[in-house]
Amino acid sequence: MRAPYRRGVTSTSPDDLRTGRWLRLDGTTNTRDLGGLPTSDGGTTAFGRVLRSDNLQTLSDDDVRRLVEDLRLRDVIDLRTTAEVLLEGRGPLRGVEGVTHLHFSLLPERGHHTDVFAAEEDELPELPAGWAETVLPRQTTEADEVEPPAVRSYLGYLHHRPDNVLAALRAVAAGDGAVVVHCAAGKDRTGVVAMFTLAAAGVPDEEIVADYAMTADVIDALVAKLRQSPTYAEDMTRREVAVHTPRAETMRRLLEILRQRHGGPLGWLEENGFGAREQAALRARLRD
C-alpha cells in the first residue's frame, strides 16, 4: 500500500520540476504551466499561477508533495463529467488539507449534482455500462454543422455549458496560490478554459494556438496512460492515436469563429456576463 502524503519532507526547487513549461510528474503526461508566454504588450505570463493537466488520479506521493509544497497548489478545477469523477474515484489530492476541489462539467448531463465530491463518500450511484450515456445529446446549430468535429465540440461547450465555462474562469481568477485546471486528457475541455485565460492575459492568438497544440508532443504517452483506465480504455483503443491528436488549425478556427461572431474570446465573455472587472481579475492571475 502506498504511504500517505505527509508534509514536512525535503522540498525541491520548482525549477527542478520543469522542462521549459512542462512539469515533470510521475502520474501525469500532459501537465504544463501557462507561464512564460509572451503578451501583446511586450510582457510575459507568470509561472506558478495557472497549470493545465490531464487526469490527476495517478499522481504519486512525491507528485503531491511537489505540487502542494513547491508550487503551492491550492485549487483543483475538474472539468470532467459527473460519471468520470465517480467512476475514477478519489484522487490523491482529495485528501490533502488546504487543497480545494471544484467541479464544472463542460458537457450537458442527466440529473443535477450540486456536490459531486460529497457523492464520492457514499455508495457509488448506478451508472450505465456505457457511462457516456449520462451525457445528454448535444444539438449543433446549422452554422456549426460545417465545422470539423473538434471545433463543433468546443463550440458545444460554449453553447450548452456557458455557466460552467464562466464558473471555471471565475475560480481561476479567485485563486490564491497555484491552480490546476484539468479534464481527462487535458487537451479539449481544458484547452478551451486555457484559451480564455490566456486571452484575458493578453496572449496573442498564435501563442494560444501553439499552447493548445503542445499536447501533440506527448499524445502517444497520454493515450497509453488513458488506455490503462477502464473509464477511458474503450475510446482510446477503438480510435487511432491520430484522431486524439490536437491540431493547431482546430484552435485557430475556434478563435476565428469567436472573432467573427463576438469580436474575440473577450467579446464572448462580455456577452455572457463576464465583464471588464472579472476579466481584469483573470488577467491579474497570470500577470505580475
Side-chain angles (χ1 to χ4, degrees):
M1 180 179 296
R2 186 173 61 185
Y5 163 76
R6 293 184 178 88
R7 295 181 183 273
V9 297
T10 303
S11 177
T12 57
S13 164
D15 290 339
D16 293 337
L17 307 181
R18 294 195 177 95
T19 301
R21 292 179 46 230
W22 291 103
L23 292 181
R24 300 188 295 270
L25 298 171
D26 300 326
T28 65
T29 59
N30 193 22
T31 304
R32 57 188 183 269
D33 201 310
L34 292 189
L37 289 170
T39 59
S40 57
D41 60 1
T44 305
T45 56
F47 279 101
R49 307 282 182 81
V50 184
L51 314 176
R52 56 177 295 171
S53 184
D54 53 320
N55 198 351
L56 305 175
Q57 299 297 126
T58 53
L59 291 175
S60 68
D61 290 332
D62 192 49
D63 291 338
V64 172
R65 177 187 61 75
R66 292 187 292 173
L67 287 168
V68 175
E69 295 189 0
D70 300 340
L71 296 181
R72 295 186 62 248
L73 180 68
R74 296 296 178 264
D75 296 287
V76 176
I77 299 173
D78 189 341
L79 305 177
R80 296 174 299 164
T81 64
T82 301
E84 288 171 274
V85 172
L86 296 178
L87 287 171
E88 288 288 283
R90 291 172 60 88
L93 281 170
R94 289 283 292 115
V96 178
E97 183 179 355
V99 176
T100 299
H101 285 69
L102 300 166
H103 176 240
F104 304 113
S105 172
L106 298 195
L107 299 177
E109 300 182 62
R110 301 182 191 280
H112 300 282
H113 300 268
T114 57
D115 193 348
V116 170
F117 297 117
E120 288 179 332
E121 311 300 330
D122 302 323
E123 184 177 349
L124 188 69
E126 289 189 12
L127 292 170
W131 62 264
E133 294 173 17
T134 62
V135 178
L136 292 171
R138 285 174 283 174
Q139 301 300 316
T140 302
T141 66
E142 184 175 350
D144 295 343
E145 287 180 354
V146 298
E147 301 296 339
V151 176
R152 291 202 306 269
S153 291
Y154 301 170
L155 292 171
Y157 306 157
L158 307 186
H159 177 71
H160 292 283
R161 297 312 304 264
D163 53 341
N164 276 358
V165 173
L166 298 179
L169 294 171
R170 288 179 175 122
V172 171
D176 178 21
V179 57
V180 59
V181 181
H182 81 94
C183 51
K187 65 184 179 73
D188 300 313
R189 291 167 286 187
T190 298
V192 170
V193 171
M195 175 270 291
F196 281 113
T197 303
L198 293 173
V203 175
D205 283 3
E206 281 307 306
E207 294 293 340
I208 295 174
V209 169
D211 172 70
Y212 168 80
M214 280 179 70
T215 294
D217 296 344
V218 297
I219 195 64
D220 289 329
L222 180 58
V223 169
K225 174 197 170 187
L226 292 174
R227 281 176 178 162
Q228 301 304 308
S229 167
T231 307
Y232 306 112
E234 181 180 356
D235 185 53
M236 293 298 110
T237 301
R238 65 182 170 84
R239 297 196 294 170
E240 295 181 357
V241 171
V243 176
H244 300 286
T245 304
R247 305 180 185 283
E249 54 265 31
T250 298
M251 181 56 67
R252 192 174 290 118
R253 178 56 182 158
L254 177 63
L255 290 165
E256 182 181 20
I257 291 171
L258 289 174
R259 186 166 55 253
Q260 292 171 348
R261 298 179 185 178
H262 310 282
L266 302 188
W268 184 90
L269 293 177
E270 182 77 33
E271 291 174 19
N272 284 274
F274 195 95
R277 181 175 297 181
E278 289 189 300
Q279 290 178 31
L282 185 58
R283 172 189 173 89
R285 283 289 279 151
L286 274 176
R287 301 297 296 268
D288 291 321

